[in-house]
Amino acid sequence: MQKSILWDGINNDTDEHCAVNYLANCIVVRSEIEGWAHGVPVYADYTCKLDLSWNVQEFDINFHLRDTQHSYGFLCDANGKWTDALGKVYPEFEGCRYIDISLSPFTNSLPVNGLNLSDNESAELDLVYIDIINNQIRKERQHYTKLNKSTYRFESNQGAFKADISVDEDGFVTHYPGLFNMIQAK
């Protein structure tokens, strides 16, 4: 089964076209983002392989800012050990189960679907944050609270940033105030 999603970036003038493929033993996501972010032309494409619990097993991202290209690829084993394609170990990411890509609402779906929170239940987690605009990859702590079946409160930067995110029945962002709107899903 495949779900195709189109998101519109509100704060940044971007569009994301995402295909989520549910396979027998994993979930494979392929997505493209293009437009303007912070006044800079941007294009990004990424692929994520997830286990059936929405944990990242590997991801590759390529992005262009103006005329500069950047590429990253990481693998995560069952013990939460992260390595790049050349085998270099990244101990700072150890234990992270999810990623967050700065210009994508898709990556909010990873903890939304993976944490299986009940209404009014919260979880704090560390994840690998990919900041496309600043070309940085770092560990970040985030907090999710399930307010009801279609709304999650997302917090980062120790609560300095908060947003109540609306999701569809499959846990994909439909509205992220000031940042993203789902245009179409099928």
Side-chain angles (χ1 to χ4, degrees), residues 125-169:
L125 56 122
D126 291 325
L127 51 69
V128 178
Y129 184 76
I130 300 98
D131 182 345
I132 291 175
I133 298 302
N134 295 304
N135 185 29
Q136 293 179 346
I137 298 182
R138 64 183 180 270
K139 184 177 189 176
E140 184 173 283
R141 181 159 286 249
Q142 296 183 351
H143 190 94
Y144 282 82
T145 302
K146 183 176 183 181
L147 301 177
N148 57 54
K149 72 177 187 171
S150 63
T151 310
Y152 286 77
R153 177 161 295 140
F154 166 73
E155 299 175 66
S156 64
N157 296 327
Q158 300 174 341
F161 178 84
K162 292 181 186 180
D164 289 348
I165 301 170
S166 300
V167 299
D168 68 8
E169 64 278 357

Side-chain angles (χ1 to χ4, degrees), residues 97-127:
R97 297 171 34 197
Y98 309 115
I99 63 170
D100 186 1
I101 299 172
S102 63
L103 297 178
S104 175
F106 167 75
T107 48
N108 292 100
S109 300
L110 303 177
V112 164
N113 285 309
L115 293 171
N116 295 312
L117 298 175
S118 299
D119 286 356
N120 299 309
E121 185 179 7
S122 297
E124 193 166 65
L125 56 122
D126 291 325
L127 51 69

Side-chain angles (χ1 to χ4, degrees), residues 7-167:
W7 283 287
D8 179 40
I10 300 169
N11 186 43
N12 294 299
D13 183 17
T14 58
D15 290 324
E16 179 171 0
H17 304 259
C18 184
V20 182
N21 296 280
Y22 299 89
L23 305 176
N25 60 349
C26 65
I27 301 166
V28 177
V29 179
R30 291 177 182 85
S31 197
E32 292 184 355
I33 303 165
E34 61 182 320
W36 293 78
H38 301 279
V40 175
V42 62
Y43 172 83
D45 64 80
Y46 65 88
T47 304
C48 293
K49 181 181 175 192
L50 314 170
D51 66 18
L52 296 177
S53 297
W54 293 82
N55 298 306
V56 174
Q57 294 178 320
E58 60 185 86
F59 79 91
D60 292 292
I61 185 166
N62 302 289
F63 56 93
H64 303 263
L65 295 170
R66 291 191 178 98
D67 296 327
T68 306
Q69 180 178 346
H70 307 280
S71 297
Y72 298 96
F74 288 91
L75 303 168
C76 182
D77 69 16
N79 298 317
K81 179 178 157 187
W82 289 79
T83 57
D84 65 17
L86 300 174
K88 179 181 175 189
V89 176
Y90 288 80
E92 64 269 34
F93 300 150
E94 190 168 327
C96 295
R97 297 171 34 197
Y98 309 115
I99 63 170
D100 186 1
I101 299 172
S102 63
L103 297 178
S104 175
F106 167 75
T107 48
N108 292 100
S109 300
L110 303 177
V112 164
N113 285 309
L115 293 171
N116 295 312
L117 298 175
S118 299
D119 286 356
N120 299 309
E121 185 179 7
S122 297
E124 193 166 65
L125 56 122
D126 291 325
L127 51 69
V128 178
Y129 184 76
I130 300 98
D131 182 345
I132 291 175
I133 298 302
N134 295 304
N135 185 29
Q136 293 179 346
I137 298 182
R138 64 183 180 270
K139 184 177 189 176
E140 184 173 283
R141 181 159 286 249
Q142 296 183 351
H143 190 94
Y144 282 82
T145 302
K146 183 176 183 181
L147 301 177
N148 57 54
K149 72 177 187 171
S150 63
T151 310
Y152 286 77
R153 177 161 295 140
F154 166 73
E155 299 175 66
S156 64
N157 296 327
Q158 300 174 341
F161 178 84
K162 292 181 186 180
D164 289 348
I165 301 170
S166 300
V167 299

